[in-house]
Amino acid sequence: MGLTMTGKPWQEIRDAKKAEQAARIPPEWKLKQNPPEETRDLRPYAYKSGILSDRELEITDLDATSLIERIANGSYTVVEVVTAYCKRAALAQQLANCLTEIAFAEAIERAKVLDDHYRTTGKVVGPLHGVPMSFKECFNIKGYDSSNAYISKCFNPAQYDAYLVEIVKKAGAVPIAKTNIPQTMLVAESDNNVFGSSKNPVVAHLSCGGSSGGEGVLMAYHGSAIGIGTDVGGSIRIPAACNGVYGYKPSFGLLPMLKYANSTHLGLNTGIPAVCGPLARSVRDLELLTRVVRDARPWLEDPAVMPHVFEQGAVDRKPVVGVIYQADTLTPHPPIRRALRETAAKLEGAGLQVKEFEPASYAAINEVTRQLFTLDGLSYAKRELAQSGEPPVPAVRTIGFWDLPSKTSEENWSWNAKKQALQKEMLEKWRAAGIDIVLCPAGAHTAPRPGQWSNDSYTVTWNAMDYPAIIMPITHVDPAKDPKDTLEKPLSATDDEFYGRYDPELMAGSPVALQLVGSRLGDEQLLKDAELIDKILKQQHGSS
Amino acid sequence: MGLTMTGKPWQEIRDAKKAEQAARIPPEWKLKQNPPEETRDLRPYAYKSGILSDRELEITDLDATSLIERIANGSYTVVEVVTAYCKRAALAQQLANCLTEIAFAEAIERAKVLDDHYRTTGKVVGPLHGVPMSFKECFNIKGYDSSNAYISKCFNPAQYDAYLVEIVKKAGAVPIAKTNIPQTMLVAESDNNVFGSSKNPVVAHLSCGGSSGGEGVLMAYHGSAIGIGTDVGGSIRIPAACNGVYGYKPSFGLLPMLKYANSTHLGLNTGIPAVCGPLARSVRDLELLTRVVRDARPWLEDPAVMPHVFEQGAVDRKPVVGVIYQADTLTPHPPIRRALRETAAKLEGAGLQVKEFEPASYAAINEVTRQLFTLDGLSYAKRELAQSGEPPVPAVRTIGFWDLPSKTSEENWSWNAKKQALQKEMLEKWRAAGIDIVLCPAGAHTAPRPGQWSNDSYTVTWNAMDYPAIIMPITHVDPAKDPKDTLEKPLSATDDEFYGRYDPELMAGSPVALQLVGSRLGDEQLLKDAELIDKILKQQHGSS
């Protein structure tokens, strides 16, 4: 550290950051050789590398809830848990380039302290005792950069932890790394000039999604037990879907973003609220993280967090499920349609009432969000790029709203009024349909080629509505079950183009996820409903 | 109706509206002669006029909760209750010019229907059966103008009721009138070119406050049982304080503003949330109105309303009270200081813990709100004036921010970031002080001369914080107890000027109110705490 940007070409800053990353992975955790270029599934290298023991592989294949139990009953020490996860995260980084700041050394020191506490007192320090956690780049962790992947902001370490990081650390969690994002955090990709591009570990030639892309990759690689992302258009949910893990975008006001590294752009400034939320490998882990944070009464520290809204208790119920088979923007690819059909059938088989639901126009909502995301003409992002001279990366250049002009206050209010009218329409349709929750695609397609997740209408709709949503992995693309077809009646030229990108061979094995959506601030109940639905699907699926 | 504005001088529109108002008051309710110009207290004319019977005076001296009981047990019919209130409202209008749209005829027809229902079924239609209610001009009532006191918007009757009006009508309430506001609704006054200026009925030469000024006047005159105002800077609380009635500004998201007449300016567009709330003559009536509206589950209709936040139940407690004796903007006049001292002493006498509380800077918060209220350079207000050619009224010309320029999105975000930092500072101070609620002035002065409530820092602070606040009438200006003095150390030239305006003889008899403030979304508990405190003060006061 101590580098400055003065007069240096931006590539030097990048090289220094990459060298710093490499130096933070112990030599004994480095792969002896890289997998062949054409390797499709990177995950088996966790086993093949020989770097993790069988016990470490077992540890990293558990969800957080199980880990916590076994640490608390003395089956594992925190040091061995954290070491196992750091190793697996190190492999994920070498194979899929998913990390930004690496905190392995400090994590293991912290683990020792937790083990000492347990040995001395016989007690855990809190409900997340020993859980290895990762955070999207935009969360401050003291002592590590919060560059947000801008060259201009490198080598300027954070002076404090984000409040959410504070809470989970007090509860016993151990931060092990921060994770990769796209330049500007405004695209569903994870490529930038500082850290480079992250790879999808399940099907390496496909996109890992974004903007919490590194988090999705790391979670799919079992390199973290719980990760924290942010979502203003799908940034938790798209990478959860692309990489086949669970992700939860809460309603605004549930989880604190105080002191995170992007605090002047809190989303409320546009009318589309940005939120943070967990990625995990089970629904119960999503609930656990949320419960622990709420139990810390974050409204006493963060003025944007609301009391009362996750403290009602959820009821046992068989929710009435409204299914969105098709929005008015893009037609879902065959594997998504199969997932919807099969899931609906299984839920009906379990006695749930399932009906088709026609939402307010995704296309209209999408246009509103494009305009509201560019109130400032993206001046902040453009200024940061200009400061270092780094160019926009390809996914940003083709963002679709990079060149939209800034708006006046009157235009801002007019777009917000349109948003409010669409919120009202959605609420009316929801009530008229008599549904409790919605089951819908996470996108019109599974993980596409890198840079091609350029329409987020299936996710941003629920940011604009401020409804909570959970991504659940459902199945995988199977060329035998999901043959290519053509659209009889494309909704538009764009629809035809996106639908035409479906390629069963290219996408074979790619995760297929669906999205469960609850009513606004119905988060507690949605998590409970999701747990029921996940159980139903798993019982009938086997371990799909 | 049927007039259009085309080519007409604005004065003709005004004259037509005033004629319409006059025609809606039955001749037999008209005062035979006006009180002398110099009359100080207009309230006795309710008794002196001979227009209300003793029974009608008795009816209109009850609070809503008592009225409901007596209607429900058959002591009063709705027709006699509504008639009594309409008569008293008619007097208030003639004496203090507090109404805009007058709905007496329709109200009495509605009362007959309610009585028929009660006679036929033996039951009330809902928890507000027969309660005469008034609404600030900006609430749509079907069939009546929603001009918001702009000449340009006269003679264009609303096609539907505001949603809040719908709810209370379903619960049995009877709208009898809409109430006066200032031009632009941005000043703490109630003067405009359509309806003219409202008078304070307690001390007629003083301001009635605003922007829900007509509501404050009508409530003080007992011309309505419950009124609904709106508040983005003090617009419920300032008139409640000036006229000596109770007023409640909820946290944002509790009460619905859906379909009210100003819906593109919902306050969330600026970062200072506008809310609606009740004015009444008891704390229990404030709670009643809020409970009835929440029981209608308004979040199922209005996307801006939140579930869960008024459904926790409040606890019986003796709250720890933090007292703000003095902000950093203006020094409270002697009667306010006396009210604070006396109230603090009585609360301590009743066993409550009372301590001084130093809030985040009112001055800093005030500057943020001035800037955020003018994001659009007040283009909307200026356009409406330009459309009809009407001039700004004096209180608007001297508003203090009429000429502030519009802001870019970046400037908007920067002011919002400052606001968030002040919210954080206030939250920290609140917690560090270990207080449950705050007791503070409603303003640095009691009702001033018309046009002189030009600094709203004592109220707007709690809009910027989004904390709920209740105005409670405490005492009256008493020249014997509240002699004039001079400031030893004025905070500023403005402070000296405002303090110098205190005039015991001019202000004698004027209501002195204080403000109780709760934590964000702590509304349910605040109302309960306020009921306790009101009881303590009344027990010791007698019926001050």
Side-chain angles (χ1 to χ4, degrees), chain A residues 61-338:
Chain A
D61 284 346
L62 296 172
D63 74 351
T65 305
S66 298
L67 262 185
I68 290 164
E69 279 167 22
R70 299 197 194 179
I71 294 169
N73 72 18
S75 303
Y76 301 137
T77 67
V78 178
V79 167
E80 65 181 339
V81 165
V82 168
T83 304
Y85 272 94
C86 288
K87 281 186 178 182
R88 201 148 170 170
L91 290 177
Q93 169 62 6
Q94 293 171 74
L95 293 160
N97 194 41
C98 55
L99 304 183
T100 58
E101 302 297 318
I102 292 172
F104 300 155
E106 187 176 348
I108 291 168
E109 289 310 305
R110 173 75 186 147
K112 289 177 189 163
V113 173
L114 291 169
D115 281 335
D116 283 347
H117 176 94
Y118 182 83
R119 259 191 304 271
T120 318
T121 66
K123 286 181 188 157
V124 295
V125 302
L128 298 178
H129 186 94
V131 175
M133 279 188 66
S134 49
F135 297 85
K136 189 178 182 177
E137 167 59 25
C138 53
F139 281 84
N140 283 314
I141 298 184
K142 188 178 172 179
Y144 299 89
D145 279 1
S146 291
S147 67
N148 285 343
Y150 286 114
I151 294 280
S152 60
K153 295 162 78 81
C154 289
F155 296 107
N156 182 19
Q159 302 299 306
Y160 48 77
D161 287 339
Y163 174 48
L164 183 60
V165 173
E166 271 180 44
I167 293 176
V168 298
K169 278 166 79 173
K170 264 188 206 147
V174 181
I176 62 168
K178 300 212 295 181
T179 53
N180 205 23
I181 55 174
Q183 190 186 54
T184 75
M185 280 204 277
L186 288 167
V187 290
E189 193 49 67
S190 294
D191 181 20
N192 62 73
N193 292 325
V194 180
F195 303 106
S197 180
S198 302
K199 278 187 178 173
N200 187 318
V202 186
V203 184
H205 54 260
L206 298 178
S207 172
C208 67
S211 64
S212 314
E215 221 30 85
V217 172
L218 188 62
M219 197 53 53
Y221 211 84
H222 297 206
S224 168
I226 301 178
I228 301 292
T230 66
D231 192 318
V232 74
S235 283
I236 288 170
R237 290 163 291 156
I238 294 168
C242 285
N243 299 286
V245 302
Y246 293 83
Y248 161 44
K249 177 202 85 68
S251 303
F252 182 78
L254 257 75
L255 296 182
M257 294 173 84
L258 185 73
K259 297 199 282 175
Y260 97 128
N262 206 20
S263 57
T264 59
H265 291 257
L266 265 183
L268 271 191
N269 293 328
T270 66
I272 310 292
V275 298
C276 61
L279 294 93
R281 290 199 304 279
S282 64
V283 176
R284 65 182 187 172
D285 283 0
L286 301 177
E287 210 279 344
L288 168 71
L289 184 282
T290 309
R291 183 68 58 197
V292 167
V293 176
R294 293 292 301 181
D295 284 350
R297 310 212 296 163
W299 53 89
L300 299 180
E301 285 288 338
D302 184 342
V305 174
M306 305 188 295
H308 309 318
V309 292
F310 198 76
E311 283 71 30
Q312 300 292 313
V315 297
D316 271 312
R317 67 175 187 183
K318 288 194 170 178
V320 178
V321 181
V323 182
I324 301 172
Y325 289 99
Q326 162 87 58
D328 61 348
T329 46
L330 298 174
T331 306
H333 285 190
I336 312 263
R337 296 212 308 277
R338 173 171 63 86

Side-chain angles (χ1 to χ4, degrees), chain A residues 406-425:
Chain A
S406 66
K407 318 289 181 290
T408 64
S409 291
E410 292 88 339
E411 287 166 339
N412 171 357
W413 297 346
S414 164
W415 285 111
N416 265 288
K418 288 193 178 85
K419 183 200 75 168
Q420 286 167 2
L422 287 160
Q423 287 179 322
K424 174 64 177 154
E425 188 186 338

Side-chain angles (χ1 to χ4, degrees), chain A residues 485-541:
Chain A
D485 59 5
T486 51
L487 280 180
E488 278 183 36
K489 275 205 299 190
L491 298 162
S492 66
T494 310
D495 188 29
D496 209 33
E497 182 194 344
F498 272 71
Y499 198 80
R501 290 178 185 168
Y502 178 58
D503 179 337
E505 297 310 322
L506 183 82
M507 293 165 174
S510 182
V512 181
L514 293 176
Q515 192 174 196
L516 277 184
V517 181
S519 57
R520 181 168 176 235
L521 294 170
D523 296 64
E524 222 177 356
Q525 187 66 50
L526 175 65
L527 282 161
K528 193 167 182 94
D529 293 341
E531 214 157 339
L532 171 75
I533 286 170
D534 196 45
K535 203 165 139 198
I536 291 168
L537 298 182
K538 286 214 172 105
Q539 277 167 353
Q540 304 191 19
H541 266 212

Side-chain angles (χ1 to χ4, degrees), chain B residues 24-26 29 82 86 89-90 99 102-109 176-177:
Chain B
R24 287 177 177 172
I25 298 177
W29 296 357
V82 168
C86 288
L99 305 184
I102 292 172
F104 300 155
E106 188 176 345
I108 292 167
E109 288 311 306
I176 63 169

Side-chain angles (χ1 to χ4, degrees), chain B residues 331-520:
Chain B
T331 305
H333 285 192
I336 313 263
R337 295 211 308 276
R338 174 172 61 88
L340 285 166
R341 280 193 312 270
E342 289 179 3
T343 302
K346 282 169 188 164
L347 297 181
E348 280 183 330
L352 273 64
Q353 197 187 338
V354 176
K355 41 176 100 169
E356 185 163 358
F357 176 60
E358 193 196 320
S361 166
Y362 275 37
I365 295 168
N366 201 38
E367 179 56 19
V368 166
T369 62
R370 275 164 42 87
Q371 299 293 344
L372 288 174
F373 288 152
T374 52
L375 289 179
D376 68 340
L378 303 179
S379 64
Y380 173 80
K382 289 170 182 169
R383 195 167 55 243
E384 289 301 328
L385 298 188
Q387 269 194 35
S388 66
E390 62 169 315
V393 299
V396 166
R397 280 200 303 272
T398 56
I399 194 174
F401 53 78
W402 186 245
D403 293 319
L404 288 186
S406 65
K407 317 289 181 290
T408 64
S409 292
E410 291 87 340
E411 287 165 342
N412 172 358
W413 297 347
S414 165
W415 286 110
N416 264 288
K418 289 192 178 87
K419 184 200 76 170
Q420 287 165 3
L422 288 160
Q423 287 179 322
K424 174 63 177 154
E425 188 186 339
M426 187 72 86
L427 188 57
E428 279 176 1
K429 290 192 167 204
W430 188 289
R431 286 191 67 201
I435 56 174
D436 294 318
I437 58 173
V438 157
L439 174 74
C440 59
H445 44 70
T446 52
R449 287 184 199 273
Q452 290 196 337
W453 199 306
S454 55
N455 180 309
D456 63 359
S457 62
Y458 278 83
T459 45
V460 76
T461 293
W462 308 113
N463 300 89
M465 300 297 108
D466 193 21
Y467 289 11
I470 292 172
I471 294 297
M472 303 182 44
I474 301 289
T475 181
H476 294 85
V477 175
D478 181 341
K481 293 180 184 166
D482 308 311
K484 186 168 171 69
D485 58 8
T486 50
L487 280 181
E488 280 183 34
K489 273 205 301 190
L491 299 161
S492 65
T494 310
D495 187 28
D496 209 33
E497 181 194 345
F498 272 71
Y499 198 79
R501 290 178 185 167
Y502 177 59
D503 179 339
E505 298 310 323
L506 183 82
M507 293 165 175
S510 182
V512 181
L514 293 176
Q515 192 174 197
L516 277 184
V517 181
S519 57
R520 181 168 176 235

